[in-house]
Amino acid sequence: MKIREIMSRDPACCLLTDSAQTVARILCDRNVGSMPVVADQQSRKLVGMITDRDLCCTVVAQGMDPEATPIAKLFALAPLSCRDGENIETCERLMQEHQVRRIPIVDAEDRVIGIVSQADLALRDKPERVWKTVAEISKASRPSVAA
């Protein structure tokens, strides 16, 4: 099965200049735990991923002002990504190896066109493969850079 068959299309994206508060509000409104960070909304070129955990463990835990804190220094640089024509096994392997729950999907120009989440896999993939992916992601062996 190809990634394009299970990915969520056109996910919400945020910008480097967005405040932590703006990003947190989008995450809440969309009921998602992470979001691609793009260079600009027109090109949607992927530059990173930010998670609710990034916001909590940095902005909240360190007492930063969420309204005045741009996300530029809060998110994971050089994010993992997949292309929509790849097999879902590629996406699952990256999730397992890097202990991440979501992978942005990009086109040939690295523009964000979708996202695959652990939930997307759970709804569409073989149960035994989903189980393995969830087990690997959930291991407490090392901290994750983007959940």
Side-chain angles (χ1 to χ4, degrees):
M1 185 181 313
K2 300 292 183 188
I3 290 173
R4 74 174 59 89
E5 298 174 53
I6 68 164
M7 72 180 190
S8 298
R9 297 182 184 279
D10 299 318
C13 296
C14 60
L15 303 173
L16 292 169
T17 55
D18 284 340
S19 72
Q21 183 172 14
T22 298
V23 173
R25 188 176 301 118
I26 296 168
L27 292 173
C28 288
D29 290 347
R30 298 285 184 121
N31 194 29
V32 295
S34 71
M35 184 177 350
V37 180
V38 296
D40 60 73
Q41 292 293 358
Q42 289 72 36
S43 74
R44 292 178 61 95
K45 184 171 173 54
L46 182 66
V47 296
M49 283 288 284
I50 190 157
T51 69
D52 49 7
R53 182 169 170 76
D54 294 331
L55 296 172
C56 180
C57 292
T58 305
V59 177
V60 175
Q62 295 180 21
M64 301 167 104
D65 178 0
E67 225 174 280
T69 304
I71 61 159
K73 296 179 183 177
L74 307 177
F75 65 90
L77 291 169
L80 305 168
S81 66
C82 288
R83 304 237 188 261
D84 67 338
E86 293 181 276
N87 291 324
I88 61 172
E89 291 86 359
T90 302
C91 198
E92 289 170 316
R93 189 174 55 257
L94 284 173
M95 287 177 163
Q96 293 168 14
E97 290 173 5
H98 298 277
Q99 291 185 295
V100 296
R101 291 171 176 80
R102 298 160 200 96
I103 303 274
I105 309 306
V106 296
D107 66 12
E109 287 81 37
D110 287 330
R111 294 181 300 215
V112 176
I113 60 172
I115 196 160
V116 171
S117 69
Q118 186 177 312
D120 294 323
L121 294 173
L123 293 170
R124 301 288 305 273
D125 200 8
K126 296 176 183 172
E128 60 275 8
R129 289 209 324 234
V130 173
W131 176 88
K132 181 181 180 191
T133 299
V134 171
E136 289 297 317
I137 290 170
S138 301
K139 284 184 179 176
S141 61
R142 64 187 186 274
S144 175
V145 292

